[in-house]
Amino acid sequence: MTDEPTEPVLLTADDDGVRTLTLNRPFRKNAINAELWAALADALTDAGKDPDIRALVVTGAGGAFCSGADVAAGGIASGPAHPLRGMRKLTDVAQLLHELPIPSIAKVDGVAVGAGWNLALGCDFVVATPQARFSQIFARRGLSLDLGGSWLLPKLVGLQQAKRLVLLADMIGAEEARDLNLVTWVVAAEEIDSFVADLGKRLAAGPPVALAQSKALLNEGANSTMREALANEARAQVINFATEDAPEAAAAFAEKRDARFTGTWAVQGRPAR
């Protein structure tokens, strides 16, 4: 095996409020090693805290999204540490992505398998090319699923289809994944960059506080009672009333222009901390 290239394992680029994270190990189809797990955790933490970042895109370099954890490098069980410590690197990434307060988009070309597919499913939207291929490949590697797959899949496709995907570990195409609600859009390879760029700009132009709360409400709603969901919605709406975005939306409607959302705190006499 040749030595690995010395380029960063994760590339970061910002464009008008949209941050793109590119998994950059194309010689391994962007399989995630320990260094890349750590870089992803740091990058997701930074994106969630940066007030100038309003949307996130996750993609892969070299014509692949992600071939999962890098088992050839020993995976999470390499080294003298207990494997549970390695697993925490995965769970940290899954939790950070799920709780990210900004909308997220997975841009998928080529393979997205194992933890790589669940990384994509952890995003709010999945945009794939017709050439994209997906597999919950864990069973072929003698493993059970991880990176949130056991939570995400039944909610997205139902229990029986989740079991079919996981226990048989079949490879499926982009069209079937879309039919199963595992891909949001299938877009031609030559158009996917502009499609995702436009989608990211639309999300970045939205009201950041309201979008963050709506995302959290939807994520939590599947596990809430109706009473709990209504109470959570009421609390979230009161927070929206305390920003300048709701009156800005009303003014923009009256003036027949696009709203300019900032998420700025609007309650007088009590500055935000």
Side-chain angles (χ1 to χ4, degrees):
M1 180 181 294
T2 59
D3 293 336
E4 293 190 5
T6 58
E7 290 85 357
V9 295
L10 185 68
L11 305 177
T12 302
D14 294 346
D15 181 18
D16 200 18
V18 180
R19 176 163 293 174
T20 298
L21 303 179
T22 302
L23 311 182
N24 190 38
R25 302 185 73 228
F27 54 94
R28 296 287 299 152
K29 294 186 178 179
N30 302 314
I32 310 178
N33 62 1
E35 183 183 1
L36 184 47
W37 284 120
L40 275 170
D42 290 343
L44 291 171
T45 299
D46 290 343
K49 292 180 177 179
D50 191 333
D52 295 326
I53 301 304
R54 305 273 288 265
L56 181 79
V57 176
V58 181
T59 191
F65 182 76
C66 177
S67 59
D70 193 346
V71 295
I76 57 166
S78 60
H82 194 285
L84 184 58
R85 293 186 63 183
M87 282 302 303
R88 289 191 183 119
K89 296 177 183 177
L90 278 73
T91 58
D92 286 348
V93 167
Q95 198 71 39
L96 285 164
L97 183 58
H98 181 68
E99 295 178 352
L100 195 68
I102 57 175
S104 56
I105 307 162
K107 182 169 69 173
V108 181
D109 189 23
V111 295
V113 301
W117 190 6
N118 291 336
L119 180 68
L121 293 178
C123 294
D124 301 311
F125 303 101
V126 179
V127 185
T129 68
Q131 293 77 32
R133 294 175 293 134
F134 305 88
S135 175
Q136 294 289 327
I137 202 167
F138 301 97
R140 298 188 195 178
R141 296 174 175 169
L143 299 170
S144 53
L145 73 173
D146 57 26
L147 209 72
S150 63
W151 190 88
L152 290 162
L153 281 169
K155 288 177 170 56
L156 292 168
V157 302
L159 186 57
Q160 286 190 341
Q161 287 292 350
K163 288 179 178 177
R164 192 257 296 189
L165 292 168
V166 172
L167 301 184
L168 296 178
D170 288 337
M171 187 77 74
I172 67 172
E175 296 290 347
E176 183 177 356
R178 182 178 58 184
D179 291 343
L180 289 169
N181 296 322
L182 297 170
V183 163
T184 323
W185 294 279
V186 177
V187 179
E190 62 270 20
E191 298 173 4
I192 192 169
D193 288 344
S194 60
F195 183 94
V196 170
D198 180 68
L199 177 60
K201 289 177 181 177
R202 289 175 59 193
L203 292 168
V209 174
L211 292 187
Q213 293 189 102
S214 289
K215 175 176 172 175
L217 287 167
L218 290 168
N219 283 341
E220 296 163 4
N223 300 313
S224 302
T225 66
M226 181 64 160
R227 184 179 297 276
E228 290 168 338
L230 289 168
N232 290 336
E233 289 173 358
R235 283 190 290 270
Q237 211 67 291
V238 170
I239 294 172
N240 295 325
F241 295 152
T243 74
E244 294 181 353
D245 286 346
E248 163 62 11
F253 178 79
E255 298 165 13
K256 297 181 179 180
R257 60 171 174 82
D258 292 336
R260 295 180 290 272
F261 294 119
T262 64
T264 303
W265 179 258
V267 177
Q268 300 300 315
R270 288 180 175 266
R273 299 186 181 216

